[in-house]
């Protein structure tokens, strides 16, 4: 089974998120991540759903979603045709002696230090999921105190836009 990303333009109305996520969950499919945001048009919201599924299951999910009245358009995004990012904020154990070592890691990954105290550092990183996973593996020996990670947000490359009908 492969990871798939669906970009869905939906009507910006109360209850749409619940109906869409519920439809997927009721059929026994797991959502790896789900992000929802406003779009440039107040009438619509963009949902980016990441899920692990085989082709048959993915087709079934897309068919079920397309039947929903609030769904305007669905496209599947691939690595080649999209810009995909996640956000990670992670707090790790630290002290004055470890700061240079941790700073070297953040520099390599182009992460930002957003808070520092006597006993911890809070770091921010955006990128593809694999990059965030690698960053977390390197930080694990320091002791991860807590973290928050967004789901995937994505846009198609080039001129085509989700809101434009073909």
């Amino acid at each position: 089974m492969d990871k798939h990303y669906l970009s869905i333009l939906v009507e910006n109305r109360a209850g749409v998120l619940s109906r869409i996520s519920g439809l997927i969950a009721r059929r026994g499919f797991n959502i790896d991540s789900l992000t929802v945001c406003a779009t440039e048009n107040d009438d619509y919201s963009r949902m980016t759903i990441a899920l692990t599924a085989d082709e048959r299951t993915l087709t079934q999910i897309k068919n079920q979603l397309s039947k929903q009245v609030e769904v305007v358009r669905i496209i599947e995004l691939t690595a080649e045709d999209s810009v995909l990012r996640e956000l990670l904020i992670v707090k790790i154990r630290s002290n004055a002696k470890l700061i240079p070592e941790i700073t070297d890691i953040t520099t390599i990954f182009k992460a930002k230090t957003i808070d520092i105290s006597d006993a911890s550092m809070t770091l921010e990183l955006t990128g593809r999921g694999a990059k965030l996973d690698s960053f977390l593996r390197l930080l694990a020996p320091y002791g991860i105190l807590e973290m928050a990670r967004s789901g995937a947000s994505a846009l198609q490359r080039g001129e085509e836009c989700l809101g434009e009908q073909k």
Side-chain angles (χ1 to χ4, degrees):
M1 289 206 276
D2 296 319
K3 189 156 207 164
H4 300 275
Y5 297 91
L6 298 178
S7 188
I8 308 169
L9 188 67
V10 297
E11 293 176 2
N12 187 12
R13 296 194 310 206
V16 173
L17 170 61
S18 177
R19 279 190 289 287
I20 298 297
S21 61
L23 180 145
I24 295 169
R26 276 191 309 276
R27 283 158 179 76
F29 306 130
N30 188 44
I31 295 173
D32 296 332
S33 74
L34 181 139
T35 58
V36 182
C37 64
T39 66
E40 64 287 347
N41 182 333
D42 292 339
D43 295 333
Y44 302 107
S45 294
R46 172 187 299 272
M47 299 177 77
T48 305
I49 300 176
L51 29 79
T52 304
D54 57 31
E55 286 301 321
R56 182 180 162 278
T57 301
L58 181 66
T59 300
Q60 186 180 6
I61 290 170
K62 289 193 296 191
N63 288 341
Q64 292 296 319
L65 289 172
S66 65
K67 293 177 186 176
Q68 301 302 301
V69 173
E70 301 92 353
V71 172
V72 177
R73 187 168 182 214
I74 302 171
I75 57 172
E76 182 177 358
L77 300 173
T78 65
E80 299 80 35
D81 71 0
S82 64
V83 177
L84 187 132
R85 297 290 182 266
E86 292 183 33
L87 168 67
L88 170 70
I89 302 172
V90 59
K91 186 186 298 183
I92 60 170
R93 291 188 202 288
S94 179
N95 57 46
K97 286 172 54 176
L98 293 174
I99 290 173
E101 195 176 310
I102 295 167
T103 300
D104 286 346
I105 295 170
T106 61
T107 301
I108 291 166
F109 279 87
K110 297 182 178 158
K112 295 178 187 174
T113 301
I114 55 176
D115 187 55
I116 193 163
S117 72
D118 292 338
S120 71
M121 289 178 75
T122 303
L123 310 169
E124 173 187 311
L125 179 64
T126 59
R128 289 195 165 266
K131 178 181 180 180
L132 276 57
D133 293 340
S134 296
F135 187 62
L136 286 171
R137 276 193 297 281
L138 288 175
L139 295 178
Y142 298 99
I144 295 174
L145 300 172
E146 64 181 335
M147 67 179 217
R149 187 169 176 171
S150 74
S153 291
L155 291 177
Q156 290 177 282
R157 292 186 185 276
E159 302 82 40
E160 188 173 342
C161 297
L162 182 63
E164 296 175 356
Q165 298 293 327
K166 286 188 171 182

